Amino acid sequence: MMIPDFYQSIDNLNFGDITSGPFLLGLLSAFNNRYQVVADASIGEITWKQFFAIVCINLCEESPTLNELADIMGSSHQNVKQILLKLSKKGFVQIVPDEKDRRKQRVIVTDKCRAFCNDSDEKSHQLINQIFRDIPEEELAITIKTISQMERNLYTL
């Protein structure tokens, strides 16, 4: 895949009055958009956002409720519901009422989803390894710490 022209000359750009904080936010947003395009093409059958929902479901010890999944994904209940409805139509998840509280809906991955994840595992690892190639662990740790603090700060507004 070709590197966008923007990144070929990023060291020579003049950002004027843009400080590093706002620049980083813009860079993260642009990266997210570009990553989504590459991941969508790589994954194939489902979109990156749908795949991310599955990853988040699999992080939970028990099948999450719709609201729990929305919190984990950092998205609205409505957006997550739309993603799950599409995954449900494709046979990747089931949305079922909670056994103890019928007002809650739980999200369950299907055998088809588990098979898809197993089949996609190597491809997703290759993509992730490519993205983080030549980045030392110490720099990744600092980046994780920085973004985590940014998120904590977001909720103290």
Side-chain angles (χ1 to χ4, degrees):
M1 180 160 287
M2 297 272 304
I3 297 174
D5 290 338
F6 170 77
Y7 288 103
Q8 306 241 356
S9 59
I10 195 167
D11 293 331
N12 299 323
L13 293 177
N14 177 358
F15 296 104
D17 293 337
I18 299 175
T19 59
S20 56
F23 178 74
L24 178 59
L25 287 174
L27 194 62
L28 288 169
S29 293
F31 174 80
N32 185 53
N33 293 338
R34 289 184 181 100
Y35 177 76
Q36 189 170 332
V37 169
V38 171
D40 284 353
S42 176
I43 295 169
E45 189 174 349
I46 60 176
T47 67
W48 159 244
K49 287 185 179 185
Q50 292 167 349
F51 188 71
F52 181 62
I54 292 167
V55 168
C56 292
I57 294 166
N58 287 332
L59 289 174
C60 299
E61 288 184 23
E62 68 174 324
S63 299
T65 65
L66 196 63
N67 287 333
E68 289 168 345
L69 184 59
D71 286 344
I72 293 166
M73 291 179 65
S75 191
S76 71
H77 176 276
Q78 294 87 346
N79 286 343
V80 172
K81 179 80 175 203
Q82 290 304 310
I83 290 168
L84 293 176
L85 288 173
K86 290 174 184 172
L87 284 170
S88 178
K89 285 181 185 175
K90 293 178 182 184
F92 281 75
V93 300
Q94 292 180 323
I95 304 168
V96 298
D98 182 84
E99 292 177 3
K100 297 175 185 168
D101 185 346
R102 307 293 278 168
R103 295 170 297 175
K104 295 180 181 180
Q105 295 180 304
R106 294 217 172 258
V107 185
I108 301 169
V109 295
T110 63
D111 289 339
K112 178 180 180 177
C113 182
R114 284 187 278 280
F116 176 83
C117 289
N118 286 336
D119 292 344
S120 302
D121 194 45
E122 185 177 334
K123 190 184 292 184
S124 63
H125 277 81
Q126 287 174 348
L127 179 59
I128 290 169
N129 289 337
Q130 175 67 24
I131 290 169
F132 293 106
R133 186 185 75 218
D134 300 330
I135 303 174
E137 281 295 320
E138 307 81 47
E139 290 183 22
L140 289 174
I142 290 168
T143 303
I144 291 167
K145 185 176 179 181
T146 300
I147 293 173
S148 296
Q149 184 62 49
M150 289 168 59
E151 186 160 13
R152 283 191 295 277
N153 293 345
L154 181 65
Y155 291 104
T156 60
L157 295 175

